[in-house]
Amino acid sequence: MDYLVVFKAAGLVGGLSFLMGSILALASIKLKIEVNPLVEKVLSVLPGSNCGACGKPGCEGAAEAIVAGEASYDACRAGGPEVAEAVARVLGIEAKVEENRVAPVLHCGLNRKEVAKKGFYNGVYDCLIAEQQTKGDLLCLYGCLGYGSCQKACPFNAITMDENNLPVFDLKKCTRCGVCVSTCPRGLIRFVPENARLVIKCSSKDRGKEVLSVCKKGCIACGICVKACSDGLSLVENIVVIDYEKNPDCPRGVEKCPTKCLLPYKA
Amino acid sequence: MRLLTFKGGVHPPERKELSAEKVIETAPLPSLLILPLSQHIGAPLAPVVGVGDEVREGQLIADSEAFVSAPLHAPASGRVKAIEPRLSFTGVKINSIVLEVSDSQEKTGLAPLTQADLTPEKIRKRAREAGLVGLGGAAFPTHVKLSPPSDKPIDTVLINGCECEPYLTCDYRLMLEEPEEIISGLKLIMIAVGANRGVIVVEENKRDAGQILNEIAEKEENIEVVLTKTKYPQGSEKHLIKAVLDREVPSGALPFEVGAYVQNVQTTIALSRAFWKGEPLTERVVTVSGEAVSHPKNLKVKLGTPAQDLIEFCGGFSEEPDKVIFGGPMTGFSIFDFSVPVVKGTSGILALKVGEIELGDRSNECLRCGRCLDACPVFLMPVTLANLTLAGDIDGLEAKGALDCVECGSCAFVCPTRRPLVQLIRYAKFEVLARKKK
């Protein structure tokens, strides 16, 4: 056996790899792209889940935008004040402490056992598809469809569906990124201030009689709560609207609400 | 006669025997007519009458300035009770004119036209004035269809007498009972689009209708009757052209691209009536059928008649139906409230039992058997499209031709695990279109 062949082959391959490696090493020095070290530092304090809630293509895009001044230091909605503070520290600027934190609330309080249904839905179990085509099995055109698209969309697993097929938010896991808010085809999930004292658990714009004919828990626009506390509560398009700027507390309205859709809130 | 056909498609049970031998009857006038202001493809209408107004049968009650739109006429004399959102068969509330029918009926209409008016412009104008839309189901305004671009000459007009949807027999009955009107309407369309050949296409299972039409067509120079194999969806525009003329309508294009024009039998008859007799479109023939209906019938129905009234006229339900469908069983809409009215595009009201249809969980997994690929008449890959929809891959959907889907339902019909393929692909089309608009 001619051992020389082995050495020849090893030498050839080794030589080639050395040559190629040298070219690559040279290229990496010569063709180096200047990355702003600040971007990497900012990226390291961002959550890194690439949820896209800030509107940028992932956390790297957000970091670039923040450093370039195209986005504010608190652009990361998922990170909240802690991340904003960390980003501000990296950038060397002062972070303003955000007072008005928000929390997601489902503006529907239907009871799936009582609510009037069209029939049996045997399509795709997805709210977006159901809403676009058959509108699910509820007679109410505003109520929660219950197929859990918000749960599937949540990047932080903060949503679970309860036995009534309504989403429940785990505020410890929730980062207020707002993906569920934009996912819900009926716009039922909306942010309210964390210190809010009232929520309205209905979104139906139908008149009272029509609401009652399909759901016993809907807002019938009777206006009793508005009469009890006119400051901060109003009726717009057959539904009670709460002005969170004034942040009303209305125990008499809650007590007198005939369908119990106006409820006290605690984050 | 040689039997023509196309590739792909399915053979659902025909079930036409339930109503095929029933002569068309006129349904009684209901006490209330509900007339949605958007029952065609295109711009919704604005009412030209107010609440409380007395209207006469055939009077114009709603119109629109837009080109792609078709006006609406009062189907009966009466008083406008309300103009408000009412439930339509699609499950949403549409602004509708509610008409209280009065005891004395008075008729008005358009002026009948004569031999001297046989020009393309006048025929098109009359189609618009009479509120004609495609009565096969899609409800596309006829005058728009009659106005193809001038650089695309049309040589052949096809009259669609296939009625490939199971159960429906309204077109079949009309071919048997009013063949002269079909030929007369066909001649009008040929003049309007400048075609020199007219072909009436009938499926093999309606051979007798084909023979009757053929006897009349033989006396005409440029008109012939051809038979196709009985297969779903033969009545689809693109498949009709492929089978009869062996021309393929390109992806995303309309039939005039290949010099063809397709019109449904019932629309052809309505055009002939509107032109020669000055009758606007206020009624249509609807098949009421299904195992759960006591006496299936073919009914001449005033537009706006609630489904409830028609079912009662057919003897009511013989047993509790499991599903009630507006339109044909393959492409129709399932309804949950029987007060919804018949509109221009309603070809049937079907009350079905389990056994004729299936109810059950459809959120199943794919077996990868590939039957949907064989069934798809536009040669798409339904399973791939459905999976891309679930994955949210809009680029992939567009690349795989999701927009070419004709929503015929053949794939969902053959799927052994009963996946909701059409629903998924329909959503995909919506998503792809929404992104294209951006």
Side-chain angles (χ1 to χ4, degrees):
Chain A
M1 180 111 195
D2 193 353
Y3 285 103
L4 204 60
V5 177
V6 178
F7 291 121
K8 258 187 183 170
L12 188 68
V13 173
L16 260 179
S17 10
F18 183 74
L19 191 71
M20 298 287 181
S22 316
I23 294 174
L24 277 178
L26 268 176
S28 76
I29 297 166
K30 280 264 176 191
L31 306 173
K32 193 174 183 194
I33 298 167
E34 283 298 321
V35 180
N36 192 338
L38 212 50
V39 172
E40 275 176 22
K41 270 190 193 163
V42 171
L43 184 59
S44 68
V45 296
L46 290 176
S49 61
N50 295 323
C51 68
C54 55
K56 299 286 181 300
C59 290
E60 194 165 350
E64 277 167 17
I66 290 171
V67 172
E70 287 159 16
S72 158
Y73 71 93
D74 59 354
C76 179
R77 294 176 64 186
E82 293 90 42
V83 168
E85 227 169 88
V87 173
R89 221 178 300 127
V90 170
L91 294 176
I93 56 173
E94 187 111 348
K96 273 174 266 161
V97 183
E98 282 279 357
E99 275 301 319
N100 42 354
R101 288 262 286 166
V102 291
V105 165
L106 182 81
H107 286 70
C108 173
L110 62 81
N111 181 340
R112 236 168 262 285
K113 288 196 186 83
E114 281 175 8
V115 73
K117 288 189 182 174
K118 293 173 188 173
F120 167 63
Y121 178 80
N122 62 352
V124 185
Y125 289 111
D126 182 284
C127 303
L128 301 167
I129 297 178
E131 175 67 3
Q132 191 232 336
Q133 289 166 29
T134 59
K135 313 251 172 229
D137 59 359
L138 296 181
L139 271 178
C140 176
L141 290 176
Y142 302 93
C144 174
L145 292 160
Y147 305 127
S149 287
C150 49
Q151 183 196 22
K152 281 174 242 162
C154 179
F156 303 98
N157 289 333
I159 300 178
T160 46
M161 301 301 278
D162 64 8
E163 69 281 358
N164 202 8
N165 264 8
L166 295 178
V168 179
F169 304 94
D170 182 343
L171 292 184
K172 285 208 186 85
K173 284 186 191 165
C174 175
T175 61
R176 281 70 167 165
C177 68
V179 168
C180 55
V181 175
S182 51
T183 297
C184 179
R186 295 192 159 181
L188 294 175
I189 304 175
R190 296 192 288 273
F191 283 126
V192 302
E194 240 174 36
N195 60 356
R197 294 185 283 189
L198 273 182
V199 284
I200 171 78
K201 291 290 245 177
C202 178
S203 300
S204 175
K205 288 178 178 159
D206 280 343
R207 279 172 298 183
K209 206 176 134 196
E210 286 161 43
V211 173
L212 270 188
S213 69
V214 295
C215 177
K216 290 192 176 70
K217 295 206 145 189
C219 173
I220 56 171
C222 60
I224 290 176
C225 55
V226 178
K227 265 179 216 145
C229 328
S230 58
D231 194 32
L233 292 182
S234 56
L235 270 182
V236 183
E237 287 187 84
N238 296 320
I239 181 103
V240 175
V241 174
I242 301 165
D243 182 359
Y244 286 111
E245 297 262 298
K246 293 180 181 150
N247 201 2
D249 181 17
C250 190
R252 270 195 66 212
V254 170
E255 189 196 318
K256 287 204 166 175
C257 177
T259 57
K260 301 285 170 232
C261 60
L262 186 72
L263 294 171
Y265 179 72
K266 220 176 159 215
Chain B
M1 244 183 275
R2 191 169 58 93
L3 290 181
L4 305 161
T5 192
F6 64 99
K7 259 190 199 165
V10 291
H11 294 279
E14 290 167 30
R15 307 306 312 266
K16 293 192 190 264
E17 69 280 0
L18 289 171
S19 56
E21 301 309 318
K22 306 286 169 63
V23 177
I24 297 172
E25 287 177 58
T26 305
L29 257 181
S31 52
L32 214 61
L33 292 171
I34 302 157
L35 299 150
L37 290 171
S38 180
Q39 37 182 290
H40 52 267
I41 292 177
L45 303 172
V48 296
V49 290
V51 176
D53 286 4
E54 295 285 338
V55 296
R56 283 188 296 170
E57 182 182 345
Q59 186 185 330
L60 182 75
I61 54 172
D63 205 347
S64 163
E65 294 281 312
F67 178 62
V68 185
S69 194
L72 190 64
H73 301 79
S77 307
R79 201 176 59 85
V80 178
K81 197 183 164 199
I83 300 174
E84 59 184 18
R86 285 283 185 127
L87 196 70
S88 93
F89 70 94
T90 51
V92 290
K93 285 183 177 175
I94 296 179
N95 217 11
S96 311
I97 296 178
V98 183
L99 198 68
E100 209 169 29
V101 179
S102 60
D103 299 332
S104 58
Q105 289 295 315
E106 223 181 318
K107 214 171 173 176
T108 171
L110 309 160
L113 297 179
T114 59
Q115 213 71 34
D117 299 309
L118 278 174
T119 62
E121 291 74 32
K122 287 216 167 135
I123 297 172
R124 257 175 242 151
K125 188 161 168 261
R126 179 43 58 102
R128 155 103 211 188
E129 282 170 342
L132 292 188
V133 299
L135 298 177
F140 188 74
T142 306
H143 67 277
V144 182
K145 214 173 185 182
L146 285 171
S147 322
S150 51
D151 58 328
K152 305 273 181 202
I154 287 174
D155 53 56
T156 312
V157 173
L158 302 175
I159 298 301
N160 185 355
C162 291
E163 202 166 45
C164 56
E165 279 264 13
Y167 291 92
L168 304 185
T169 52
C170 48
D171 288 358
Y172 168 66
R173 287 314 306 181
L174 281 168
M175 286 191 280
L176 287 182
E177 295 176 31
E178 300 177 23
E180 288 88 1
E181 295 268 23
I182 296 172
I183 305 279
S184 138
L186 170 55
K187 285 193 213 156
L188 289 174
I189 297 173
M190 284 164 68
I191 294 169
V193 298
N196 50 22
R197 183 179 173 215
V199 184
I200 302 172
V201 195
V202 183
E203 267 189 357
E204 188 199 1
N205 61 354
K206 293 177 270 291
R207 223 171 244 274
D208 46 345
Q211 263 159 12
I212 288 179
L213 284 164
N214 203 27
E215 275 165 31
I216 309 171
E218 271 174 355
K219 293 172 206 147
E220 306 289 338
E221 228 173 275
N222 309 323
I223 298 177
E224 58 188 302
V225 178
V226 298
L227 286 184
T228 65
K229 279 188 190 166
T230 304
K231 184 158 74 169
Y232 181 86
Q234 181 64 70
S236 150
E237 205 165 61
K238 291 178 178 177
H239 298 100
L240 206 65
I241 295 170
K242 177 69 187 156
V244 178
L245 302 175
D246 197 21
R247 298 178 195 166
E248 196 163 310
V249 182
S251 165
L254 292 167
F256 61 70
E257 288 285 343
V258 294
Y261 180 99
V262 181
Q263 193 81 70
N264 165 269
V265 166
Q266 208 166 143
T267 323
T268 314
I269 294 177
L271 179 66
S272 161
R273 291 240 177 83
F275 190 86
W276 298 111
K277 295 177 186 157
E279 287 176 14
L281 181 66
T282 59
E283 58 186 19
R284 64 158 297 138
V285 180
V286 176
T287 302
V288 183
S289 185
E291 289 280 288
V293 172
S294 299
H295 306 289
K297 280 175 183 173
N298 297 297
L299 297 173
K300 189 168 269 183
V301 178
K302 291 289 180 194
L303 298 177
T305 307
Q308 181 82 58
D309 292 48
L310 298 180
I311 294 165
E312 266 164 34
F313 183 66
C314 293
F317 294 127
S318 55
E319 49 194 321
E320 188 68 20
D322 291 308
K323 201 169 201 173
V324 179
I325 294 175
F326 246 53
M330 299 294 282
T331 58
F333 285 76
S334 139
I335 61 166
F336 55 92
D337 186 330
F338 304 143
S339 69
V340 296
V342 167
V343 294
K344 289 177 179 176
T346 308
S347 44
I349 298 172
L350 310 174
L352 308 174
K353 293 290 298 172
V354 166
E356 305 179 271
I357 46 143
E358 279 181 28
L359 292 177
D361 196 355
R362 290 196 148 235
S363 57
N364 304 321
E365 297 303 328
C366 175
L367 297 177
R368 308 204 73 74
C369 66
R371 282 194 210 170
C372 53
L373 280 75
D374 294 333
C376 182
V378 286
F379 316 122
L380 295 173
M381 297 185 282
V383 51
T384 311
L385 293 175
N387 292 346
L388 287 172
T389 312
L390 290 172
D393 182 353
I394 302 173
D395 283 323
L397 284 165
E398 202 175 347
K400 298 280 180 208
L403 290 180
D404 286 329
C405 170
V406 293
E407 298 174 23
C408 66
S410 298
C411 51
F413 178 78
V414 295
C415 180
T417 63
R418 301 284 172 253
R419 294 182 81 204
L421 294 166
V422 191
Q423 198 190 3
L424 287 164
I425 299 171
R426 188 184 282 178
Y427 180 70
K429 286 171 79 177
F430 166 79
E431 286 280 285
V432 173
L433 281 177
R435 217 191 42 176
K436 270 194 167 182
K437 265 183 199 159
K438 267 185 198 165

